[in-house]
């Protein structure tokens, strides 16, 4: 059975087979190293019994780079709809084509959600291409919903859905909304 473990620098030489579809973003080595340095607990791989990397997740915990409109942050007193409180973020999640439909994406995502919850995050979010229906269905099955549509988010002009899943701190589900597909924002409004 495949096992999840922390990503290491040496894994960067073994992940190329996981990036073999057109919907997977591939980053430069410096990008991966930044994540491994800043958020090592949120960078994981799933390794097969043969030692091959079958998937990985890159994540971080973050908040908007400016203080909340009202301190301390409370979703009921937040006056800025674009302010992002402390939360987990899935930057990249990919599974090798040969290892799909084995539950790897779910297991990797759950590991990141547990870390974000342990870091007292309000929710976990991610961006997914609007046309990537399979990924959206996967995330919905895991409890994510569309919070908003970010117009022209990707370099090729494609829109993205900002999908979120509340964590245990968000007892009132204040960081998710119904029908988020209809709530359109520009990329500069994401922060």
């Amino acid at each position: 059975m495949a096992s999840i473990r922390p990503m290491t620098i040496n894994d960067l030489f073994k992940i190329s087979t996981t990036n073999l579809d057109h919907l997977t973003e591939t980053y430069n080595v410096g990008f991966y190293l930044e994540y491994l340095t800043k958020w090592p607990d949120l960078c994981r791989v799933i390794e097969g019994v043969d030692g091959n990397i079958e998937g990985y997740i890159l994540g971080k915990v973050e908040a908007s780079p400016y203080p909340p409109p009202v301190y301390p942050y409370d979703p009921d007193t937040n006056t800025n709809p674009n302010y992002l409180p402390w939360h987990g973020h899935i930057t990249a999640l990919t599974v090798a084509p040969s290892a799909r439909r084995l539950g790897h994406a779910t297991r990797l995502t759950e590991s990141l959600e547990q870390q974000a919850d342990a870091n007292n995050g309000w929710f976990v979010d991610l961006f997914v291409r609007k046309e990537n229906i399979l990924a959206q269905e996967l995330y919905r099955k895991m409890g994510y919903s569309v919070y908003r549509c970010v117009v022209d988010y990707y370099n090729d002009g494609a829109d993205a859905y900002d999908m979120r899943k509340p964590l245990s701190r968000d007892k009132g589900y204040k960081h998710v909304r119904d029908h988020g597909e209809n709530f359109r924002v520009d990329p500069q409004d994401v922060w």
Side-chain angles (χ1 to χ4, degrees):
M1 180 177 185
S3 59
I4 295 176
R5 64 170 176 75
M7 182 183 275
T8 67
I9 291 173
N10 289 333
D11 292 327
L12 299 181
F13 299 110
K14 301 189 263 181
I15 63 172
S16 61
T17 58
T18 64
N19 293 339
L20 293 178
D21 76 56
H22 69 287
L23 294 174
T24 297
E25 297 284 332
T26 302
Y27 304 100
N28 64 51
V29 172
F31 186 86
Y32 291 99
L33 291 174
E34 178 181 6
Y35 273 72
L36 283 170
T37 303
K38 291 182 177 179
W39 304 284
D41 293 340
L42 299 172
C43 300
R44 306 266 179 182
V45 297
I46 191 157
E47 185 175 47
V49 293
D50 59 2
N52 289 327
I53 304 298
E54 296 181 353
Y56 67 87
I57 192 166
L58 296 178
K60 59 185 173 179
V61 286
E62 64 180 353
S64 287
Y66 50 85
V70 176
Y71 187 84
Y73 173 79
D74 183 307
D76 292 324
T77 60
N78 180 34
T79 58
N80 181 348
N82 296 322
Y83 177 77
L84 291 173
W86 192 246
H87 68 284
H89 176 73
I90 297 172
T91 302
L93 170 64
T94 189
V95 175
S98 62
R100 293 190 178 153
R101 302 209 174 272
L102 299 174
H104 291 354
T106 300
R107 290 178 57 210
L108 287 165
T109 301
E110 287 171 349
S111 74
L112 187 137
E113 290 167 359
Q114 290 167 359
Q115 288 294 319
D117 213 22
N119 278 279
N120 208 25
W122 288 90
F123 56 89
V124 172
D125 75 348
L126 58 95
F127 294 94
V128 62
R129 286 179 173 272
K130 187 176 175 180
E131 72 266 17
N132 192 346
I133 305 301
L134 288 175
Q136 293 169 38
E137 289 174 5
L138 171 71
Y139 292 123
R140 281 189 174 92
K141 287 178 186 172
M142 290 190 282
Y144 287 78
S145 61
V146 175
Y147 183 73
R148 57 190 168 180
C149 177
V150 186
V151 180
D152 296 326
Y153 178 77
Y154 292 100
N155 289 335
D156 63 3
D159 295 348
Y161 283 148
D162 176 0
M163 297 186 78
R164 294 184 179 183
K165 180 179 182 178
L167 296 174
S168 60
R169 185 176 185 187
D170 189 6
K171 302 204 184 318
Y173 300 103
K174 305 274 182 163
H175 298 90
V176 293
R177 66 166 58 104
D178 292 328
H179 310 294
E181 297 87 350
N182 301 325
F183 192 85
R184 298 169 62 84
V185 298
D186 292 324
Q188 67 266 19
D189 296 329
V190 171
W191 278 106

